[in-house]
């Protein structure tokens, strides 16, 4: 069956360090992979999209990699700040309807 | 346009009652999605509209759930004969391609 796995344990890191979150998937051939941020009681906010033929995408302090051989994406936040504390969701998009399937998310806590 | 708007933000209802939620998407987006999210889980896909056509419906959606998008603008999600297991955050998102823009959701509590 199709599965999207993100580390369910919270990730605690010191302010200023680089946070790295992992997304692994099985039985998918996604055309795109997306990352979202979600704060408590709010809807997810779109951060980055990477296509299957792209290896890496950057946006300000964010970097995403996409390895279709390993079936894995890594999401990096450099120079992390307490304001980056949130849950980060990985999402895969496949099929003709642009339907996105989400992982369970990883909670990031940046400690001042 | 200020993004995707969902109403109400919170709804408490008694088991067995019907509830209806509304979503107003970003006006130029032709795709609209409904998701359900419970605590500690990612959003689960419920249904998808392209303009006014409902193109896909999840097997999670029992016949007590129905969604409409008349005229391809706002959408409504109705749950009939609510059950306690329906308690969740109901999220609406719209897209014109690329990433989704989500609303803040409607939190439903069935007591």
């Amino acid at each position: 069956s199709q599965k999207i796995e993100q580390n369910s344990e919270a990730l605690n890191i010191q302010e200023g360090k680089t946070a790295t979150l992992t997304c692994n998937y099985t039985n998918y051939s996604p055309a795109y992979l997306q990352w979202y941020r979600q704060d408590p009681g709010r809807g997810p906010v779109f951060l980055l999209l990477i296509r299957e033929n792209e290896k890496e995408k950057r946006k300000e302090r964010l970097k995403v990699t996409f390895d279709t051989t390993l079936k894995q994406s890594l999401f990096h936040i450099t120079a992390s700040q307490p304001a980056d504390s949130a849950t980060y969701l990985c999402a895969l998009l496949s099929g003709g309807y642009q339907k996105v399937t989400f992982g369970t998310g990883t909670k990031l806590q940046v400690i001042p | 346009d200020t993004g995707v708007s969902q109403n109400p933000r919170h709804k408490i209802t008694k088991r067995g009652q019907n509830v209806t939620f509304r979503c107003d998407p970003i006006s130029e987006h032709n795709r609209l999605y409904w998701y359900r999210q419970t605590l500690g889980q990612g959003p689960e896909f419920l249904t998808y509209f392209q303009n006014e056509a409902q193109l896909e419906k999840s097997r999670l959606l029992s016949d007590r759930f129905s969604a409409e998008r008349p005229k391809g603008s706002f959408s409504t999600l109705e749950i009939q004969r609510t059950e306690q297991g329906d308690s969740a955050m109901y999220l609406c998102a719209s897209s014109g391609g690329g990433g989704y823009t989500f609303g803040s959701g409607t939190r439903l509590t069935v007591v």
Side-chain angles (χ1 to χ4, degrees), chain A residues 53-110:
Chain A
N53 60 351
E54 296 176 316
K55 297 291 184 192
E56 183 178 298
K57 187 74 84 69
R58 290 176 187 260
K59 180 183 173 185
E60 297 172 353
R61 295 184 295 112
L62 308 180
K63 184 178 90 170
V64 171
T65 63
F66 190 12
D67 189 325
T68 54
T69 303
L70 291 178
K71 297 186 183 297
Q72 182 182 79
S73 175
L74 299 178
F75 177 78
H76 307 273
I77 306 175
T78 57
S80 59
Q81 304 166 359
D84 295 327
S85 299
T87 295
Y88 290 86
L89 296 159
C90 164
L92 303 185
L93 190 152
S94 56
Y97 296 142
Q98 303 276 307
K99 182 183 84 176
V100 168
T101 304
F102 287 87
T104 54
T106 297
K107 187 172 180 181
L108 172 68
Q109 188 78 30
V110 180

Side-chain angles (χ1 to χ4, degrees), chain A residues 13-26:
Chain A
I13 64 161
Q14 207 68 36
E15 182 177 3
K17 301 290 187 187
T18 296
T20 299
L21 285 68
T22 304
C23 173
N24 295 297
Y25 60 92
T26 53

Side-chain angles (χ1 to χ4, degrees), chain B residues 85-101:
Chain B
D86 297 331
S87 296
M89 174 80 89
Y90 289 83
L91 293 162
C92 174
S94 68
S95 172
Y100 287 7
T101 302

Side-chain angles (χ1 to χ4, degrees), chain B residues 1-5 24-31 69 94 101:
Chain B
D1 195 36
T2 55
V4 177
S5 175
D24 287 273
I26 291 174
S27 55
E28 57 265 31
H29 286 177
N30 59 354
R31 297 179 185 132
R69 192 184 182 196
S94 68
T101 302

